[in-house]
Structure formats: structure tokens, C-alpha cells
Amino acid sequence: MNEKNKEKKAPKKSSDTDNSFRRKMPWVYVLLLVFFVGQFVLNSFGPTETTWSTFEEEMLANEDVAKIVVINKEEVEIYLKEDKITEVKYPGWKTGARGPHYTFTIGSVESFENRLQAAKENQNLSQIPEVKYTNQTAWFTTILAWILPMVIIVAIWLYLIPMVGRSRGTGGANPFDFGKSGAKLMDKHNKSKVTFDEVAGMEAAKLEIKEIVEFLKTPDKYTRLGAKIPKGVIIVGPPGTGKTLLAKAVAGEAQVPFFHISGSEFVEMFVGVGASRVRDLFKKAKLKAPSIIFIDEIDAIGRARGNAASFRSNDERESTLNQLLAEMDGFGTNTGVIVLAATNRADILDRALLRPGRFDRHIYLELPDLVERKAIFGVHLKPLKLSNEIDAERLAGQTPGFSGADIANICNEAALIAARKGQDNIDMRNFSEAIDRIVAGLENKNKIVSPKEKEVIAYHEAGHATVSWFLEHADQLLKVSIVPRGKALGSAWYLPEEHSIFTKSQMTDRLTTALAGRAAEDLIFGEVSSGALDDLEKVTKQAYTMIAFYGFNEKMGNTSFYDSTGMYAESLQKPYSDATAELIDEEVRKLVEKNYARAKTILAQHRKELKKLADLLMEQEVVEKADLEAIFGKRKLKNQEPRNDTKLTKLIS
Ligand code: ADP
Ligand code: ZN
């Protein structure tokens, strides 16, 4: 499904160098082998290891020894008399074999001499063989000790560097390639095959980007009249909305070389390479002009510079960014290189990047609406083997808030589920399962839950459901389940209204709903469990947001410590006094307590319904909207029909 899999990974040139490197590689192995075999052979022709006692009792006692040589005061070599060599107790030696025949090591020369003297007396020897002392440098071992590690280090180095290169896409067999950009190139040999047909929806963005293709194809048409062709286009949108896809489509349609690099690749691993990589990238692109450079995740380098007291040194990123700006200023307007960049955080980008003459065109992508989702389903359903009942419109209706990538994912997931079940085609149930899985994680059927735990979980989930049903501003409840999914033991599906702004009461109602799981446990069992961890985490975060950011608290007044510049996030300073910090903490606790009590009150009032729902959950594990309405009655609220661009989420577990 993913576009990335369709392309060849590495450009041609690098795979060539890779191969030649591979071909050379065996030499290293052969060399090592020769070393080890050589050593083995040398050793097997050398003297045999023996021990002092064998030496004393067999060789000395029988007066077989011709000569003793002590080498470097630590090793003794024994030469046997010629006529004794062939005796059976000395296996392996032929007549005339030159010594040394045996060897052993000693602690010190003195102790050796003492033992020799003692042996003479013990064995009643008339005399002991002469002992010579020599010093030898073991050239072979010394050289080996120096060279071998070097050989190994070099071998590892040669082996690792291309891997680093490959991971960056340079394929750089050359270890000195670090300064090269590592951009993946798609050109004549290696074309982007994505066309605008594969990009569904986003008509406005497509229109705008089609113009870029025109610039690249027929620049004269515009320059004739003196117009300047834009240098940079920045595509902004949430993850998975098709930014990369759009850029690839430009390359595919314009049929020009396309350099693809991720912002983070400029600033990995080594300091000081970012700027030279930028330079290298632009040089290559200009050589191939007209061409496109696509920088994904440009926020990795384009983050606003000079943030206050930040601990990390940003020099590297800054010099990379400066180089990028310099390159963009540097190339003339009509060089035929267009830089596309993508980010999901336009807000943190350095202003300098967005100035005219740089990334002066901005394309905004949004999450797809109903019609667009249908179109995206259309694209991704096409290659699948579907049963007749599948209807893109219905699927689009069931996936509010999903991004294009989510939809691609669902289609693939549904196909996998169908294949796993051995079906001949993919049916609607497979899609429902895929959607559930993507929203809430995998069903975990093997998780062992004791009956008592099941009861606690059922009341917990029923608690969330009951409270949300009776709160005016809570989200619309779709279903409740106590089937474990991922880490969560149970879940409630809501169809939240996507608000551009939240009122205080809406946020408060969400808070109460999130606390209702624990409140139900407390109310029914008189004891709480660890099952509310997720809820409490969310509640705490939300409570802090309400008080410290949104100014929803009377004592705090209309102040907000939200920090859109990211200045304080990187430092440990807080933009408020200790007294304020204490006040915030206290007010957060009060807010949570108040809403907890509120949830408990609601549950106490509707205890009957709570019990009914919990029982039903224990019986059938999943309770859908119809059953919920049977228990609680229809929810009489003002405007609960959700807009179709809201996201289906599992808000509470
Ligand atoms: P982004 O770069 O915005 O994070 P991508 O471009 O990588 O997102 O999108 C990931 C995948 O999602 C694409 O490869 C494509 O399969 C799918 N996709 C996203 N948006 C669309 C769309 N508008 N039409 C068709 N497929 C889409
Ligand atoms: Zn919960």
C-alpha cells in the first residue's frame, strides 16, 4: 500500500559501487584465513607441549635429553638425542627430526634450575644436560598482535560505512562520503510512477501543484513575460495527509529528476556535515536541472533559531539552516530547480524560511472530508479483490477524521484479515474489524481476565458510558466494549464533535466522563483499582491545560502560560512564580475532585441503569447504540448530530 515500497531504494550509481565493494570483500576473508591457517601449520610443526613431570620422569630419567634451551626466561625447549627420538613414548617424531621436540613454560629461571638440580638427585643422574639461555623476539606473534587488530578494525570500518551510507540512501561505499547529501534520486532510470490520479481529493492543492509541474515543463511560457518561477513550495498538513505523495506526483508528472531527502538526514550522527550535505544536494540538483528537491520533515532543520536558554546546542541545525537559506537565495530565479518541503508543524518553522524568494508558496492539506475520503477509498480499493457489497461511500462514512494514510492502512488491514481467514474476497466485516483495530488497537482475545476482574471492568466502562449519556456536552457514545484491546481492558467508542473551540462546559463534561470509570468502581465496590491509570493521566493533563492554558479558573484569571514559541519547553524555567505554580497545582486537584464527586453523584442517581449496562456487558462483552438506548432511553440533546469531518475516537478506556 505504501508508496515507498514501490520505488527502488538506491540510485543506480551507488549500487554499482556497492557491488564492487562486495566483490573485494572476500579478499579480507581470504587474508584472515591465510593468517590463521599459517599459524596453525607453523604450530603443528613446532615442538609438542609437555609438562615438567613428563620431562623429569621420562626424558631426564632415561637420559634422553641432548640439550635444553631456555628462551626469554620463560619457555623451555627440549632437544632429544637422535637415537631416542623414534622411541614409542615419543610419538610423532621421525628419525632426523630436528628439535626442539618438546616445550613447556616455567615460572622463573631460578626455580627451574632448582628443580633441575633436585631432579638430578632424585633420579640419580650422573649429570644433567647443558642448559642454554637465549632471548628471542617472537616476530610473528608481535606482528600478528599489531596487525590483526588493525586488519579487523579496517574490515569492520569498511563493512559498516556502506551500511551507514545505505541507511541514508547514499549507498556510499566511499567512507569519505559523509558530507554528501544522501538524497535519494529518482530520474530517467528510476522514475517516480505516482501520478495525480493516485492522489485523491485535495483539489485545491492539486491545482496549485499542477502549476509547479507547468513551470518545470515549460518555463519559457512564464519567463517570456518576465515572471519569476517560484523557488520553494512548502506543503503543510497533519501526518498522513499525502504530502509525500503529492511531491512524488509532481515528480512523476513533470518527469524531471527528483531528489528526496528527510530533514533529519542532514543532521544525523556527525557534527558539521549538515551544511556540506545541503551544498552537495543543491549542486547535484543544479547539474540535473530542471529538477525537484523534496525535503521531508523540514522542521528538523527549519525550527525557529535562537530559542531562549536551550540546553542542547543547536549550532549544527542552525548552520544547516543557514546553508539552506544561502543556497535558496543563491540560485538564480530561473535555474529550473524547485524545492518542495513538507512539514506538519509550520508554526515552529523559522520565519526566514517562509520569506519571499524562499518557500514563498504554501500549500495547506487538511484531513479529508467525506467526499475526499470516498475518493481516497476509491484509489486504495482498486487493487483489492472485494465482495460486491463493498461500498466506498459507506466506508467513508464510517471513518471520520481518518487521514489518507489511515485509509490506505485500513484497506491493507482488511485484506490481511480476509486472507488470514482464508476468504476468497474481502467483505464488509473485514473492513469493520480493520477500522476498529486502527482506532483502538488489536483485540487481545488471549488476555486472561478473571470473573471478578471482568465485573470491575464492566462497571468501570458502564460508568463512563452512563455519565456521558446524561451530560449535555459529552460526546456521542457509539458502543461500549470490555474486549481487551492492546493494553486497555475495555473501551468506549465516541463520535466526538470536532470543535474548533471548546467551551468550558464541554471540557468539564469530558473531564467528568473520564473520571466516571473510577467513580463507578468506587460507588459499587467501595474500592478503586489500577484500571483507571489511562483515564487519570488524561484527566490530569486536561485539568492542567484548562487551568494553566485556557484561563478557565477564576483564581488564575484570564492568564495563559501556553507557550507557542517552544521557548520554555526546552528550558527548565517556568514563566510563572512558585506561588502561581502552587496555585495551579491546588486548583487542578480541586477541579479533579469536584468532577469526580460530580460523576459519582450522577452514577448514584442512575444506579439502576449502570447496573443494567454492566450486566449486559458481562453477558455479551460489546453493547451497541441500540441497546444503550434501550437502557438509558434516547439522549435528548440539542445538536448531537456530528459533522462528518469529526474523528471517530476511542476517548476513554
Ligand atoms: P505524509 O507525507 O503527509 O505524512 P504520505 O504522503 O506519506 O503522508 O501518505 C502516506 C500514504 O497515505 C500514501 O502513500 C498514500 O498511500 C496514502 N494517502 C495519503 N493521502 C492520500 C490521498 N489524498 N489519496 C490517496 N492516497 C493517499
Ligand atoms: Zn476508564
Side-chain angles (χ1 to χ4, degrees):
M1 279 285 110
N2 196 332
E3 222 21 74
K4 279 170 192 129
N5 299 336
K6 288 192 197 157
E7 293 150 19
K8 284 201 206 117
K9 278 275 147 57
K12 193 156 184 306
K13 174 188 154 278
S14 64
S15 63
D16 278 351
T17 29
D18 244 24
N19 285 344
S20 72
F21 180 74
R22 275 283 143 81
R23 267 182 263 121
K24 268 182 259 157
M25 215 35 204
W27 277 106
V28 179
Y29 296 124
V30 169
L31 221 66
L32 283 177
L33 198 73
V34 166
F35 254 88
F36 287 118
V37 169
Q39 221 198 0
F40 178 76
V41 168
L42 279 175
N43 278 346
S44 56
F45 285 120
T48 314
E49 286 277 338
T50 185
T51 59
W52 168 266
S53 56
T54 324
F55 168 67
E56 180 183 340
E57 286 154 23
E58 308 211 334
M59 305 178 199
L60 268 187
N62 298 320
E63 304 199 353
D64 294 348
V65 180
K67 190 169 75 173
I68 297 170
V69 179
V70 178
I71 294 166
N72 296 343
K73 299 183 183 162
E74 55 186 22
E75 196 171 352
V76 179
E77 290 185 347
I78 297 147
Y79 293 75
L80 297 178
K81 290 178 183 160
E82 262 185 52
D83 51 328
K84 306 281 185 154
I85 298 172
T86 45
E87 281 180 18
V88 272
K89 60 187 180 206
Y90 304 127
W93 296 109
K94 294 201 193 84
T95 337
R98 287 189 297 137
H101 303 101
Y102 288 92
T103 179
F104 58 89
T105 47
I106 54 173
S108 75
V109 174
E110 271 157 45
S111 73
F112 174 67
E113 282 174 348
N114 292 342
R115 286 177 100 174
L116 210 57
Q117 215 55 48
K120 183 184 168 196
E121 278 152 33
N122 288 348
Q123 310 288 347
N124 287 323
L125 302 174
S126 54
Q127 57 158 23
I128 47 172
E130 61 168 332
V131 180
K132 269 195 207 155
Y133 296 90
T134 63
N135 275 324
Q136 269 180 16
T137 316
W139 284 111
F140 185 73
T141 342
T142 318
I143 290 172
L144 206 66
W146 276 94
I147 300 229
L148 201 62
M150 275 202 256
V151 169
I152 292 175
I153 288 170
V154 170
I156 292 177
W157 193 47
L158 287 177
Y159 188 70
L160 283 184
I161 298 289
M163 296 219 288
V164 175
R166 266 198 297 281
S167 76
R168 312 190 342 228
T170 48
N174 181 353
F176 304 102
D177 253 2
F178 281 125
K180 300 287 167 60
S181 72
K184 294 182 207 77
L185 170 65
M186 285 183 239
D187 56 13
K188 289 193 283 299
H189 316 289
N190 192 356
K191 270 180 202 153
S192 165
K193 292 186 194 72
V194 183
T195 62
F196 283 135
D197 291 341
E198 279 167 65
V199 186
M202 47 167 129
E203 292 306 327
K206 253 159 62 178
L207 213 62
E208 196 148 349
I209 208 107
K210 272 180 183 157
E211 204 183 7
I212 309 282
V213 175
E214 285 301 309
F215 287 148
L216 286 165
K217 275 187 165 167
T218 50
D220 301 343
K221 186 172 151 193
Y222 301 88
T223 52
R224 196 171 49 96
L225 303 177
K228 287 185 191 139
I229 289 173
K231 294 179 188 172
V233 179
I234 197 156
I235 309 172
V236 182
T241 40
K243 300 182 289 294
T244 316
L245 190 70
L246 200 58
K248 280 182 190 155
V250 174
E253 295 275 345
Q255 296 295 337
V256 297
F258 179 75
F259 294 85
H260 178 178
I261 192 166
S262 167
S264 57
E265 282 172 56
F266 285 116
V267 282
E268 63 185 12
M269 211 144 103
F270 297 100
V271 180
V273 297
S276 72
R277 282 185 184 169
V278 171
R279 225 171 335 194
D280 180 62
L281 176 64
F282 277 81
K283 204 172 84 195
K284 282 187 194 155
K286 273 185 250 176
L287 276 178
K288 295 224 171 203
S291 61
I292 295 173
I293 295 176
F294 175 54
I295 306 175
D296 209 350
E297 295 165 48
I298 194 169
D299 41 300
I301 43 172
R303 204 176 274 262
R305 285 168 297 183
N307 278 350
S310 131
F311 287 111
R312 255 178 302 124
S313 158
N314 290 324
D315 284 357
E316 173 68 359
R317 210 175 57 206
E318 239 170 75
S319 65
T320 310
L321 176 57
N322 286 336
Q323 187 64 39
L324 182 65
L325 295 177
E327 290 289 346
M328 292 199 72
D329 289 342
F331 66 73
T333 335
N334 299 325
T335 37
V337 179
I338 290 186
V339 187
L340 299 181
T343 179
N344 40 34
R345 304 278 326 260
D347 52 323
I348 59 167
L349 286 186
D350 201 295
R351 295 289 142 222
L353 262 179
L354 305 176
R355 271 215 296 275
R358 291 159 180 173
F359 290 101
D360 41 10
R361 292 220 165 184
H362 306 176
I363 294 179
Y364 292 93
L365 300 184
E366 300 284 342
L367 287 174
D369 63 18
L370 184 69
V371 179
E372 288 172 321
R373 285 200 302 277
K374 186 180 161 194
I376 298 174
F377 265 113
V379 169
H380 293 284
L381 289 177
K382 211 180 281 166
L384 303 180
K385 241 185 116 184
L386 304 169
S387 80
N388 294 330
E389 47 163 2
I390 303 290
D391 169 15
E393 182 138 18
R394 233 175 101 201
L395 285 170
Q398 287 180 6
T399 48
F402 281 50
S403 70
D406 290 333
I407 290 174
N409 203 356
I410 285 174
C411 292
N412 193 44
E413 199 65 45
L416 289 177
I417 292 170
R420 202 172 301 136
K421 293 183 178 163
Q423 291 167 213
D424 289 333
N425 52 32
I426 311 163
D427 62 28
M428 205 60 196
R429 267 178 320 163
N430 303 139
F431 277 97
S432 301
E433 204 174 311
I435 292 171
D436 280 358
R437 179 180 289 194
I438 280 161
V439 175
L442 204 59
E443 274 192 15
N444 192 346
K445 293 219 163 85
N446 299 327
K447 196 155 201 153
I448 297 163
V449 178
S450 72
K452 178 67 200 167
E453 279 171 340
K454 197 169 166 181
E455 194 185 352
V456 174
I457 298 165
Y459 270 101
H460 179 109
E461 296 306 330
H464 287 308
T466 310
V467 167
S468 76
W469 200 270
F470 293 107
L471 283 178
E472 184 181 356
H473 302 287
D475 296 308
Q476 194 186 155
L477 184 62
L478 288 184
K479 75 174 175 187
V480 192
S481 132
I482 56 166
V483 180
R485 276 178 188 277
K487 272 197 330 220
L489 294 169
S491 33
W493 267 262
Y494 292 89
L495 198 52
E497 269 192 89
E498 190 76 359
H499 304 279
S500 307
I501 50 168
F502 285 94
T503 62
K504 189 173 165 185
S505 33
Q506 281 162 344
M507 285 187 99
T508 313
D509 281 1
R510 279 197 175 180
L511 207 64
T512 316
T513 307
L515 285 162
R518 166 157 284 197
E521 291 177 37
D522 194 357
L523 184 74
I524 302 295
F525 305 106
E527 190 178 37
V528 293
S529 76
S530 66
L533 176 66
D534 268 4
D535 297 338
L536 297 187
E537 187 189 342
K538 252 178 246 156
V539 163
T540 312
K541 281 195 188 126
Q542 178 152 10
Y544 270 98
T545 330
M546 288 171 72
I547 286 169
F549 294 169
Y550 290 132
F552 282 169
N553 182 275
E554 267 156 34
K555 284 198 192 143
M556 294 287 296
N558 289 326
T559 52
S560 170
F561 298 109
Y562 183 67
D563 169 30
S564 62
T565 59
M567 254 160 63
Y568 290 99
E570 294 190 15
S571 73
L572 289 182
Q573 284 172 8
K574 294 225 181 298
Y576 42 76
S577 68
D578 288 348
T580 309
E582 265 173 42
L583 181 64
I584 292 176
D585 290 344
E586 195 192 317
E587 288 303 309
V588 164
R589 265 194 297 275
K590 271 195 209 155
L591 180 67
V592 174
E593 280 321 305
K594 202 171 114 198
N595 281 286
Y596 185 65
R598 185 171 173 228
K600 248 174 120 171
T601 316
I602 295 173
L603 290 172
Q605 281 165 3
H606 298 281
R607 201 174 174 131
K608 240 183 26 232
E609 291 98 318
L610 175 69
K611 185 166 183 315
K612 254 194 218 160
L613 178 55
D615 288 342
L616 195 61
L617 271 172
M618 279 184 272
E619 189 189 312
Q620 59 186 42
E621 299 207 330
V622 179
V623 176
E624 306 262 356
K625 197 169 170 191
D627 287 332
L628 291 170
E629 281 181 351
I631 294 173
F632 296 119
K634 261 212 172 343
R635 225 177 143 197
K636 350 178 225 318
L637 300 166
K638 287 169 250 162
N639 56 342
Q640 280 300 325
E641 264 327 294
R643 300 190 341 221
N644 60 29
D645 56 342
T646 59
K647 184 165 176 89
L648 171 67
T649 41
K650 190 199 67 161
L651 265 187
I652 283 164
S653 56

